Amino acid sequence: MTENNRRILLASRPDGKPTPENFRIDSAPLADPNEGEVLLKILYLSLDPYMRGRMSAGKSYAAPVEIGGVMEGGTVGRVVQSRHPDFAEGDIVLSHSGWQSFAVVEGSTLRKLDPSAAPISTALGVLGMPGFTDYAGLLTIGQPKPGETVVVAAASGAVGSAVGQIAKIRGARAVGIAGGVDKCAFVRDELGFDAVVDHRAPDFQARLKAACPQGIDVYFENVGGHVWDAVFPLLNDFARVPVCGLIAQYNDAAVQPGPDRLPGVMRDVLSRSLLIRGFIQREFVDQRPAFYNQMAAWIAAGQIRYREDVVDGLEAAPEAFIGLLEGRNFGKLVIRVAE
């Protein structure tokens, strides 16, 4: 092939919020696949908040991207050359190939997709890692029961939107938290949440309390910050809190100054018998086959709706990612790298 591989590399580690200077675009010759490998043309790239952690060198549950390395991320690609018996030219596959236009990948790491079953971009969203995070975290840790109140922040996003809808399928009352009039209207009118509260409102805490008159039984935590401050006093005895992310704190360069609130929090965890459980979705890998079948069925039945925020061009990824961390996206954010 005569094309080069366009790549976005980590140029430097951010100090606080990422900036365009933390990224570098380059071009490299395409590599030929070895036995057992395939060459992919990347069609879609997923942008997700966890990527901010990969830009830092601090201790985490996964190794950071090295300076000069390709930014990591989930992708959907088309096989253009195969040396693996299970894949042929033209197959559409899910991979973890990062921010680049082509990739040579071990065939054993790929999952073949059926383009006739669902739009292929959904393998990065509602039928991919974000959707599985919702499914496994809510049902395994949150365990919503009929009549209970389930609250989720970033309710118009890739994770929060499905959490509320799954809660309603299970007979619970879904309360969403979102930022801005348009996102709140989408959560209420399109996704069918029972209530939605704008976290930008000056009286946000009072509005959340009014939306949860019976308290909160399950809070799916993916934001942290002032949203957590408003939610915590409303947690009922025996409330469950699955924690999959803390996006409000990802750009913090150091521990924020202030009083030590941990003793008070732990006192309430004890006295109210709260379950607060952090998780990484890969812990529940054995549930993935059930998730794929169940989520596809819910979507086909109209019980789960989703929204994608599609940005064109690999070069647009850095600015789109910075916007994601600031809440500028509306729905699951994906980069359309190629047709």
Side-chain angles (χ1 to χ4, degrees), residues 148-212:
E148 290 190 326
T149 296
V150 175
V151 174
V152 62
S156 68
V159 171
S161 59
V163 165
Q165 293 178 90
I166 295 173
K168 286 186 65 65
I169 290 170
R170 288 303 177 97
R173 182 171 180 270
V175 177
I177 299 170
V181 173
D182 291 342
K183 290 182 178 180
C184 287
F186 172 72
V187 170
R188 180 184 60 248
D189 301 334
E190 296 295 323
L191 301 183
F193 280 48
D194 296 287
V196 61
V197 183
D198 190 341
H199 70 79
R200 298 176 182 172
D203 57 345
F204 163 59
Q205 193 161 11
R207 291 189 184 193
L208 181 62
K209 184 176 182 180
C212 304

Side-chain angles (χ1 to χ4, degrees), residues 56-247:
S56 298
K59 183 179 179 181
S60 184
Y61 60 87
V65 176
E66 296 297 330
I67 300 297
V70 176
M71 285 289 297
E72 77 163 72
T75 54
V76 169
R78 179 187 299 116
V79 176
V80 294
Q81 188 178 349
S82 176
R83 297 191 63 187
H84 191 286
D86 293 341
F87 299 96
E89 182 178 340
D91 284 346
I92 304 298
V93 299
L94 178 69
S95 69
H96 201 80
S97 299
W99 298 25
Q100 54 187 339
S101 56
F102 289 89
V104 173
V105 184
E106 286 282 346
S108 60
T109 67
L110 302 175
R111 183 167 74 88
K112 194 177 296 187
L113 302 177
D114 180 1
S116 67
I120 59 176
S121 57
T122 60
L124 301 173
V126 67
L127 285 171
M129 182 272 291
F132 182 59
T133 299
D134 309 328
Y135 178 90
L138 181 64
L139 298 183
T140 305
I141 302 170
Q143 300 184 13
K145 301 175 180 61
E148 290 190 326
T149 296
V150 175
V151 174
V152 62
S156 68
V159 171
S161 59
V163 165
Q165 293 178 90
I166 295 173
K168 286 186 65 65
I169 290 170
R170 288 303 177 97
R173 182 171 180 270
V175 177
I177 299 170
V181 173
D182 291 342
K183 290 182 178 180
C184 287
F186 172 72
V187 170
R188 180 184 60 248
D189 301 334
E190 296 295 323
L191 301 183
F193 280 48
D194 296 287
V196 61
V197 183
D198 190 341
H199 70 79
R200 298 176 182 172
D203 57 345
F204 163 59
Q205 193 161 11
R207 291 189 184 193
L208 181 62
K209 184 176 182 180
C212 304
Q214 304 301 317
I216 298 171
D217 301 294
V218 180
Y219 174 55
F220 196 102
E221 175 63 290
N222 59 355
V223 170
H226 79 287
V227 173
W228 167 255
D229 292 339
V231 166
F232 188 71
L234 303 178
L235 294 175
N236 289 329
D237 290 355
F238 306 104
R240 290 83 68 197
V241 184
V243 181
C244 79
L246 298 166
I247 190 172

Side-chain angles (χ1 to χ4, degrees), residues 223-275:
V223 170
H226 79 287
V227 173
W228 167 255
D229 292 339
V231 166
F232 188 71
L234 303 178
L235 294 175
N236 289 329
D237 290 355
F238 306 104
R240 290 83 68 197
V241 184
V243 181
C244 79
L246 298 166
I247 190 172
Q249 294 150 232
Y250 285 171
N251 287 328
D252 290 349
V255 176
Q256 295 296 308
D260 180 3
R261 295 190 295 173
L262 183 59
V265 169
M266 294 305 294
R267 181 185 63 241
D268 282 341
V269 168
L270 172 62
S271 63
R272 288 191 265 166
S273 299
L274 304 178
L275 172 66

